[in-house]
Amino acid sequence: MFKDQYPTVGIGDQLLSKEIEYPNNLTAAEYHELAVGSAIHPSLIERNFSHIEGETVYEYLFTSPEIPRRNAGRVTDGFLKAYLHLLAGGMWISGLDPQRNWRPMEWGR
């Protein structure tokens, strides 16, 4: 889980903090956008939204056989460079596929 620290009450030189955990590594801003800005129920957020970043992003997005690859199967350098900004991360949204007996979808956004 992703944890954010929020200062709460200062007592003398000490500062107490409250740990808040968000499901599926969501950041505080992402969770706020979903729960408050979009009024999505927390149970739906937990089931369908997650935060991904770093090279994990490639595992989610580069699954199509149409993506240009080298002989060893690695995505080409030009393609990786075009999508380098994805390493910073973001929200992954997916759900269950009604056409595949409600199994997790193989795709998302």
Side-chain angles (χ1 to χ4, degrees):
M1 296 280 176
F2 185 84
K3 299 175 183 172
D4 285 326
Q5 298 277 332
Y6 288 102
T8 53
V9 180
I11 301 175
D13 292 332
Q14 293 180 319
L15 186 64
L16 301 177
S17 66
K18 178 181 176 186
E19 256 185 27
I20 298 176
E21 295 183 9
Y22 300 99
N24 306 319
N25 295 324
L26 289 170
T27 65
E30 290 167 339
Y31 191 85
H32 186 270
E33 176 185 339
L34 296 167
V36 178
S38 297
I40 298 173
H41 193 276
S43 66
L44 289 175
I45 294 171
E46 188 171 349
R47 289 184 192 129
N48 298 295
F49 298 86
S50 58
H51 178 83
I52 57 174
E53 62 185 38
E55 292 194 10
T56 302
V57 171
Y58 298 149
E59 295 172 20
Y60 284 80
L61 297 178
F62 295 171
T63 59
S64 171
E66 303 300 317
I67 293 174
R69 297 181 184 275
R70 295 177 173 200
N71 289 341
R74 183 177 173 271
V75 175
T76 62
D77 291 337
F79 198 82
L80 287 172
K81 186 176 179 181
Y83 291 93
L84 190 61
H85 64 282
L86 298 176
L87 294 177
M91 268 192 294
W92 177 256
I93 306 163
S94 65
L96 302 177
D97 191 343
Q99 296 180 344
R100 294 180 58 234
N101 200 25
W102 300 102
R103 289 186 292 180
M105 288 187 173
E106 294 179 355
W107 57 273
R109 63 178 252 185

